[in-house]
Amino acid sequence: GQANEEDKARLAKVKKEAKVTTGATNFKELYESILTGSVDKLKLEAFVQNKVNLPYNSLVIIDDSGSMSGKPFNFAKFIASVCLVKNPDDDARNLIGFFNSRSHWHSFIDQTGRKPNSLLRTTVAQTNRKPLVDGTLSFYDNYKRISEFCNAVYQGGGTRLNAIPQGIEYIIHENPDMLDELKNYPIWTIISDGDLNNSYNARSSMLDFQNECRRIMGFVPFVVMIEIPNYGSPRANSFEGIQNMIYIPANPAQIEQFLVNFKDMDIFDAYTPLLSLYRSNRYELVRQNTL
């Protein structure tokens, strides 16, 4: 809605390039150009709108611990912005979580005149009548809005992954119906430098997180763990064999592959009906009749 006729003509050309040529829009270069203030907004728009393929609602959660300050947090804000803007649902586009030694959650959906349809109640969330993601704005302008908000709420502290379900426990305790709202988020996208320390190593920390999810919510969400590039060593081996998650290592090319082509979509598509079965009372009957 902001483009003039010249912009529209150029955007159409860039869209065609982005669709036809795999390398037409370089993810790493786009991000670096944002940081330097020299971004080509039309190429960025074409990349997000035409190449990024994230068709499922994702609960976006950013690590805002002390080790994330500076460039790691900047990268996390960019990835979070892409995921939020591509969420199909209004509520999902306007809900974001953070974790450090604790977790904090923020909902921006305008709930005036209707029943709140988000994970949070106003007593446990910041509520703003302006949405975090505005569909009338370009991706770059939405990115700036999200970035400014993330900077404002950044806390620092430890990197306790299990603080995520523990923070949700309070929300569920205040209103048990909120457990059903979590079903609207089949994927939890967690963006972190990977320095998880709620247990003695990254693998143990992830397993502890999953155990807390089982205890508090009765299920384990499908987690996409995106590690921030160039900070710390890759931890792929740490998560090997852990179910209900995929790990995207700290490599811009592999992060781009995830954004434009969810390689594990077949795994997720199989996981989704199984998760629905597990959440329902039908699971008990299956368990009783299965060796």
Side-chain angles (χ1 to χ4, degrees):
Q2 299 168 286
N4 57 35
E5 291 304 315
E6 184 179 348
D7 288 336
K8 289 177 181 177
R10 184 160 176 262
L11 182 57
K13 180 180 178 182
V14 174
K15 281 182 178 179
K16 183 177 180 181
E17 291 175 350
K19 287 180 178 179
V20 174
T21 309
T22 302
T25 308
N26 185 291
F27 170 74
K28 188 172 186 288
E29 288 179 2
L30 276 178
Y31 168 69
E32 290 174 349
S33 67
I34 283 181
L35 293 186
T36 59
S38 60
V39 64
D40 185 325
K41 296 180 182 179
L42 294 181
K43 280 192 174 183
L44 179 63
E45 195 71 22
F47 173 77
V48 174
Q49 299 301 333
N50 295 285
K51 288 193 71 177
V52 175
N53 178 34
L54 299 173
Y56 295 98
N57 275 335
S58 171
L59 183 58
V60 179
I61 307 167
I62 298 178
D63 174 356
D64 70 335
S65 63
S67 63
M68 287 286 291
S69 63
K71 289 183 178 179
F73 197 57
N74 288 338
F75 195 91
K77 292 184 297 183
F78 176 66
I79 298 297
S81 298
V82 174
C83 294
L84 286 170
V85 167
K86 296 301 288 188
N87 268 341
D89 185 271
D90 266 346
D91 287 348
R93 285 192 291 268
N94 290 286
L95 173 63
I96 188 169
F98 300 82
F99 77 101
N100 44 76
S101 299
R102 54 183 288 270
S103 63
H104 51 116
W105 304 83
H106 306 268
S107 175
F108 283 77
I109 197 71
D110 184 353
Q111 298 172 342
T112 304
R114 64 184 180 90
K115 179 182 178 295
N117 185 29
S118 70
L119 179 61
L120 306 182
R121 289 290 189 261
T122 55
T123 54
V124 293
Q126 287 192 7
T127 303
N128 191 321
R129 293 189 184 278
K130 293 182 179 180
L132 184 60
V133 174
D134 186 337
T136 66
L137 299 179
S138 67
F139 170 77
Y140 182 72
D141 287 332
N142 275 309
Y143 161 73
K144 289 193 295 184
R145 289 157 65 96
I146 295 167
S147 178
E148 289 170 2
F149 173 74
C150 291
N151 288 340
V153 301
Y154 176 85
Q155 292 186 351
T159 316
R160 294 183 58 248
L161 189 64
N162 63 359
I164 296 172
Q166 289 171 358
I168 291 174
E169 182 174 22
Y170 170 76
I171 299 169
I172 294 173
H173 178 75
E174 290 293 302
N175 192 324
D177 291 342
M178 291 301 100
L179 186 59
D180 289 333
E181 294 293 339
L182 288 170
K183 297 177 183 178
N184 295 324
Y185 302 92
I187 296 176
W188 290 18
T189 302
I190 300 175
I191 310 160
S192 172
D193 61 3
D195 187 22
L196 310 177
N197 54 37
N198 50 284
S199 191
Y200 55 86
N201 60 28
R203 180 183 184 82
S204 179
S205 295
M206 176 60 72
L207 292 172
D208 185 31
F209 161 84
Q210 292 186 334
N211 286 334
E212 284 293 87
C213 287
R214 288 189 190 92
R215 179 183 69 83
I216 293 166
M217 302 182 298
F219 67 91
V220 177
F222 189 93
V223 169
V224 176
M225 172 69 73
I226 301 178
E227 186 171 276
I228 301 303
N230 303 325
Y231 304 95
S233 57
R235 295 171 170 80
N237 293 336
S238 298
F239 303 119
E240 187 175 353
I242 296 181
Q243 296 181 345
N244 302 340
M245 73 165 290
I246 61 172
Y247 166 81
I248 312 298
N251 181 317
Q254 288 179 271
I255 293 175
E256 180 181 13
Q257 281 299 309
F258 161 71
L259 293 175
V260 304
N261 184 15
F262 196 160
K263 291 291 188 181
D264 287 85
M265 190 63 75
D266 289 342
I267 296 174
F268 174 68
D269 284 341
Y271 170 77
T272 303
L274 292 174
L275 178 60
S276 298
L277 180 64
Y278 177 79
R279 285 171 170 168
S280 73
N281 55 13
R282 291 173 293 165
Y283 176 72
E284 184 62 27
L285 183 62
V286 171
R287 190 175 66 175
Q288 290 175 0
N289 291 276
T290 303
L291 292 177

